[in-house]
Amino acid sequence: MKKFKCTICGHVYDPAEGDPDSGIAPGTNFDNIPGDWVCPICGVGKEDYIPMD
């Protein structure tokens, strides 16, 4: 599963960890996160994340 990085603050969404504080279970692919999810650090939306190599 691919990690995604916030282009604003640098937060990395790791699917293996998910975002339990926001109700995203570990093992959730970035594409399966609800559209209203926001970066837990700076609050921007999914559109401001880019895939990491």
Side-chain angles (χ1 to χ4, degrees):
M1 290 187 284
K2 188 171 269 198
K3 295 179 183 179
F4 283 75
K5 183 177 182 178
C6 178
T7 59
I8 306 302
C9 73
H11 170 262
V12 174
Y13 175 79
D14 183 348
E17 296 177 8
D19 183 11
D21 291 340
S22 297
I24 309 300
T28 303
N29 282 326
F30 190 79
D31 292 340
N32 295 333
I33 296 173
D36 61 352
W37 178 83
V38 295
C39 175
I41 305 300
C42 69
V44 297
K46 286 177 61 176
E47 66 275 5
D48 289 308
Y49 275 73
I50 57 171
M52 296 177 68
D53 292 330

